[in-house]
Amino acid sequence: MDGVMTDEADTEALKRTPLYDCHVAADGRMVPFAGYEMPVQFEGVKPEHLWTRAHAGLFDVSHMGPCFLTLKGGPREGDAAHHAIASILEQLVPSDIAALKPGQSRLTVLLAEDGGILDDLIVTRPLAADRQGMLYIVVNGAVKERDFALIEATAGDKAELMRADDRILFALQGPEAEDVLSRHFPECRGLTFMQSQRMFWSDARCLVSRCGYTGEDGFEVLVPAEQGKTLVEVLLEDPRVKPIGLGARDSLRLEAGLCLYGHDLDPSRDPVEADLAWVIQKSRRMRGDFPGADRITKALADGPVEKRVGIRPLERAPAREGTEIHVGGTKVGVVTSGGFGPSVDGPVAMGYVRADLAEPGTAVHLMVRGKERPGEVCALPFTPANYKR
Amino acid sequence: MAVKYTEDHEWISVDGDVGTVGITKYAAEQLGDVVFVETPDSGSTYKKGDDMAVVESVKAASDVYAPVSGEITEGNPALAETPETVNEDPEGTGWFCKIKLSDAGELESLMDEAAYKSFCEGL
């Protein structure tokens, strides 16, 4: 059988996160991912997945692209500074960044000139009154060099981008994440979903955000590498916490209906067909002042040609990425992410179908290895979100 | 009744001219939780090395290759409902199919247990 041995890609050129030794010590199986050697699993995808939904899972996401975009001259006080930095980023994204409240985060998309999606990212306005004129941005690891260059080019001489991907970025996700993390960051209890705050762990300045990529309540913490290693070790000593690899990260986010860039989102898709029109606030729709506004405004008005939907295979066979979706013998779409959902205890998928077939309950056929297998369009997520609102 | 192994981690246990085929314990451990198995249809024929079955873990789908040439006499019906048997007993009740060998000489190119064990240790 194939697929047993690890990927034979050139591991020489791969980078390591500051938590590499920690993963190896925990028997993580290391694979190349987004230019880094990352753990795909520890104990196993299924037990790690179920542990995260029941307790707290710790994910190293230091391969991602955290950065700070700051007005020239540094952060300062006042809404005017926030509006100035927001207007720079808004040249690249269709969300209302200016309207963010202090400490609020928002999902948005980086757009190409034609309205195609170059990346999805989280943008946060600092909470502290003296840190305005600054945005905390986290982009995807695989495209971070391109994203950083694009943001820098757009900022010109008005703002500076400072990379923070030499630090540790980890996520603690699951129903017990708050109880675990609050032993080290008591203030984290005060955050609600998509809120962020600077906090200290002994003398380490950390950025704690209540967000994640699993559908569970949880946090992401940006922390300097040296202190971060100690913090992660301390967290892993808690019996409620286990390290979680990329495999379970993928099955968790798929059940939660969350997109994986490069698979469910790519430059050929615009936010409307990706079912992310909600990231375009009314103010931006009215102004129509973002890249690809013609295409996106038309898709908003007329509806998209294709739409991203959940797909539930009705038999046991998973429908993986690339599986064609057929109706009446004709191809009407394609699966962009698919696998087995341990919490659902069955196969789950998402993909794009012709917009007139996007209604939940629509019967489709999934072409798995040349055989038609029954499936249906379904609403996302597969598992209810447990965010703390 | 000798068991033989392939470098692709299939095993075959031959009794007369019929071999029982499955994936090894090593392969099952590497795959992790098996969630679906597609066994070959009875009567279908394969040449040594052909894609013969598919095993899917939470992570990915992997092809299983025919360790020898021959005709399938039976797929393991239990795997449709309980694919986890492949993890629980990969070299026993988690077998994939039975194949009627068309060339028993092909077995000589496969590894015996000792050779397969040292092959896995070198991985």
Side-chain angles (χ1 to χ4, degrees):
Chain A
M1 55 174 291
D2 67 356
V4 166
M5 277 169 284
T6 44
D7 198 322
E8 287 173 21
D10 180 13
T11 51
E12 304 283 316
L14 293 171
K15 289 179 276 190
R16 291 174 174 181
T17 75
L19 291 172
Y20 175 86
D21 291 339
C22 180
H23 302 320
V24 171
D27 281 334
R29 190 188 301 169
M30 307 304 285
V31 299
F33 183 78
Y36 286 79
E37 275 184 271
M38 298 295 287
V40 65
Q41 67 173 61
F42 295 90
E43 181 187 353
V45 177
K46 195 171 167 183
E48 291 168 32
H49 176 117
L50 296 172
W51 183 269
T52 304
R53 292 250 186 267
H55 305 284
L58 194 146
F59 303 72
D60 180 13
V61 288
S62 308
H63 65 287
M64 294 187 73
C67 70
F68 295 91
L69 184 67
T70 310
L71 289 176
K72 276 277 163 67
R76 61 205 73 170
E77 294 193 5
D79 286 344
H82 173 67
H83 291 155
I85 196 70
S87 71
I88 293 169
L89 191 66
E90 284 183 1
Q91 295 173 50
L92 297 171
V93 306
S95 303
D96 193 340
I97 304 301
L100 285 175
K101 298 183 185 78
Q104 187 189 358
S105 302
R106 180 163 273 176
L107 176 74
T108 188
V109 288
L110 207 56
L111 293 175
E113 280 305 317
D114 69 352
I117 299 171
L118 295 175
D119 199 5
D120 58 336
L121 56 156
I122 303 271
V123 178
T124 302
R125 176 180 179 177
L127 178 66
D130 61 351
R131 307 290 284 175
Q132 301 304 305
M134 181 185 225
L135 296 171
Y136 171 48
I137 303 170
V138 181
V139 303
N140 274 298
V143 287
K144 64 182 175 182
E145 301 299 335
R146 197 268 326 270
D147 287 4
F148 289 159
L150 183 60
I151 295 168
E152 275 184 327
T154 304
D157 59 2
K158 295 190 179 71
E160 267 177 308
L161 183 141
M162 186 182 76
R163 300 174 71 127
D165 59 344
D166 57 337
R167 305 185 201 179
I168 285 171
L169 182 65
F170 71 84
L172 191 69
Q173 301 278 296
E176 294 178 342
E178 181 186 59
D179 284 345
V180 171
L181 199 70
S182 62
R183 292 175 61 179
H184 308 278
F185 299 96
E187 293 163 290
C188 80
R189 288 188 187 278
L191 299 176
T192 57
F193 183 60
M194 298 303 269
Q195 283 188 335
S196 177
Q197 189 180 330
R198 185 176 66 196
M199 297 179 197
F200 285 86
W201 184 68
S202 75
D203 64 341
R205 182 143 90 174
C206 306
L207 196 49
V208 180
S209 308
R210 197 155 200 163
C211 63
Y213 195 45
T214 60
E216 297 300 322
D217 182 26
F219 301 86
E220 289 184 2
V221 181
L222 182 72
V223 48
E226 275 314 306
Q227 294 108 317
K229 278 191 264 188
T230 312
L231 174 57
V232 164
E233 281 167 15
V234 169
L235 287 169
L236 286 172
E237 282 168 16
D238 191 306
R240 295 167 289 186
V241 180
K242 284 189 180 183
I244 310 296
L246 294 170
R249 182 170 181 254
D250 192 53
S251 57
L252 287 159
R253 69 90 196 166
L254 177 55
E255 282 185 344
L258 301 169
C259 295
L260 175 60
Y261 190 76
H263 300 261
D264 310 305
L265 306 176
D266 67 46
S268 76
R269 302 291 183 181
D270 67 53
V272 183
E273 56 189 335
D275 203 20
L276 295 176
W278 59 272
V279 309
I280 315 172
Q281 280 76 29
K282 197 176 166 193
S283 54
R284 299 299 307 275
R285 295 183 191 200
M286 289 173 69
R287 298 211 301 269
D289 58 348
F290 44 83
D294 291 351
R295 168 184 176 179
I296 292 169
T297 304
K298 185 172 186 307
L300 283 169
D302 303 345
V305 177
E306 289 195 328
K307 199 175 164 204
R308 183 175 63 90
V309 294
I311 301 283
R312 188 187 291 274
L314 296 177
E315 297 176 339
R316 297 294 291 179
R320 306 279 178 183
E321 180 178 0
T323 300
E324 289 190 3
I325 303 169
H326 287 206
V327 168
T330 307
K331 184 182 172 190
V332 296
V334 64
V335 169
T336 51
S337 282
F340 183 85
S343 302
V344 171
D345 194 24
V348 290
M350 69 167 92
Y352 286 81
V353 295
R354 230 168 56 200
D356 60 307
L357 300 169
E359 201 58 37
T362 304
V364 297
H365 280 116
L366 303 166
M367 300 303 290
V368 178
R369 292 180 287 275
K371 283 184 202 158
E372 274 192 354
R373 292 188 180 273
E376 67 177 27
V377 174
C378 65
L380 293 171
F382 290 97
T383 49
N386 291 320
Y387 303 134
K388 187 182 171 187
R389 300 280 183 183
Chain B
M1 173 164 78
V3 182
K4 295 279 202 166
Y5 300 85
T6 71
E7 293 189 357
D8 298 310
H9 308 282
E10 291 94 11
W11 57 267
I12 178 166
S13 169
V14 181
D15 185 8
D17 63 352
V18 174
T20 304
V21 177
I23 65 167
T24 64
K25 185 163 179 286
Y26 176 88
E29 280 171 3
Q30 292 287 308
L31 282 175
D33 293 291
V34 171
V35 296
F36 180 75
V37 178
E38 196 168 294
T39 56
D41 296 330
S42 298
S44 54
T45 60
Y46 295 92
K47 287 203 290 292
K48 183 177 190 293
D50 284 352
D51 300 353
M52 181 183 68
V54 174
V55 55
E56 301 218 24
S57 68
V58 180
K59 280 201 298 285
S62 301
D63 289 321
V64 176
Y65 306 117
V68 293
S69 308
E71 180 182 334
I72 303 300
T73 60
E74 189 184 359
N76 184 352
L79 298 185
E81 287 304 313
T82 54
E84 61 273 19
T85 312
V86 176
N87 295 110
E88 290 157 6
D89 190 12
E91 301 192 24
T93 53
W95 59 277
F96 278 41
C97 61
K98 295 185 194 251
I99 185 167
K100 187 176 178 193
L101 277 65
S102 58
D103 178 6
E106 287 175 347
L107 290 168
E108 284 165 31
S109 63
L110 304 183
M111 290 177 278
D112 62 15
E113 190 178 351
Y116 177 68
K117 191 165 173 247
S118 62
F119 171 74
C120 288
E121 280 164 2
L123 293 178

